[in-house]
Amino acid sequence: MASSASSSSRQSPNDIFDNLPQKTQLALIITAAWNDGNPYMNTHYGVYMGTANKIVIYDYGEGAGRWPDHVARFVDNHDGSFTVAWPHTTTDNASANSENTTWQDHSTITKADMLARFYATDAEKATVTAVEEELDLSTINKAFDLLPA
């Protein structure tokens, strides 16, 4: 009789995602959520994780627009998903600040979906690897202060 692995030895998508290096996890989040799944390239993504259960990623290297267009918040729902929020302002971007701008939930991404996309093609893996190189982790222990998370 052929032996088979027990279901307890199989890792769930959540476990697989959680066991990836931190930079790969962050790049997967960016790749899945940024610009409708097409992250900006040749830029820099500042990562802020100083607020519990929240990741704020600020695309500060692309050179176009001001911060409301280039920042996203990811709330860890602790169920294998993240709620993605974008800034919503009551004014134009040039006048946006923490008093007239709030986070507005946009979508939910799951670890399983991110992994499925990552393993779908070599091109997807290459994009994730390229985004990893664009991560700036110098702010990882700080809270994003332009708009409270």
Side-chain angles (χ1 to χ4, degrees):
M1 182 179 338
S3 64
S4 62
S6 70
S7 61
S8 64
S9 68
R10 288 190 176 160
Q11 286 189 322
S12 72
N14 294 348
D15 292 334
I16 294 168
F17 183 92
D18 293 343
N19 288 326
L20 291 170
Q22 184 179 43
K23 285 182 92 171
T24 303
Q25 291 176 15
L26 292 166
L28 283 169
I29 289 169
I30 291 168
T31 303
W34 218 273
N35 193 30
D36 295 323
N38 297 299
Y40 300 116
M41 304 306 287
N42 302 313
T43 190
H44 299 285
Y45 292 101
V47 178
Y48 297 80
M49 294 174 59
T51 304
N53 303 313
K54 296 176 182 165
I55 303 166
V56 176
I57 299 177
Y58 178 24
D59 169 14
Y60 66 84
E62 186 205 337
R66 291 195 22 97
W67 67 268
D69 285 342
H70 300 275
V71 65
R73 182 186 70 184
F74 303 88
V75 177
D76 186 345
N77 298 317
H78 298 285
D79 63 358
S81 71
F82 293 88
T83 299
V84 182
W86 302 103
H88 172 72
T89 186
T90 57
T91 185
D92 62 16
N93 285 349
S95 301
N97 60 46
S98 62
E99 294 173 11
N100 59 24
T101 307
T102 59
W103 292 107
Q104 185 173 45
D105 290 348
H106 177 266
S107 60
T108 301
I109 56 174
T110 68
K111 294 175 180 179
D113 289 342
M114 287 185 275
L115 287 172
R117 183 174 177 162
F118 177 65
Y119 290 113
T121 66
D122 289 340
E124 289 288 346
K125 285 185 182 181
T127 298
V128 171
T129 300
V131 170
E132 283 181 48
E133 297 302 317
E134 296 174 345
L135 291 173
D136 175 358
L137 301 182
S138 66
T139 55
I140 200 160
N141 294 318
K142 296 179 182 180
F144 187 70
D145 60 2
L146 294 177
L147 183 61

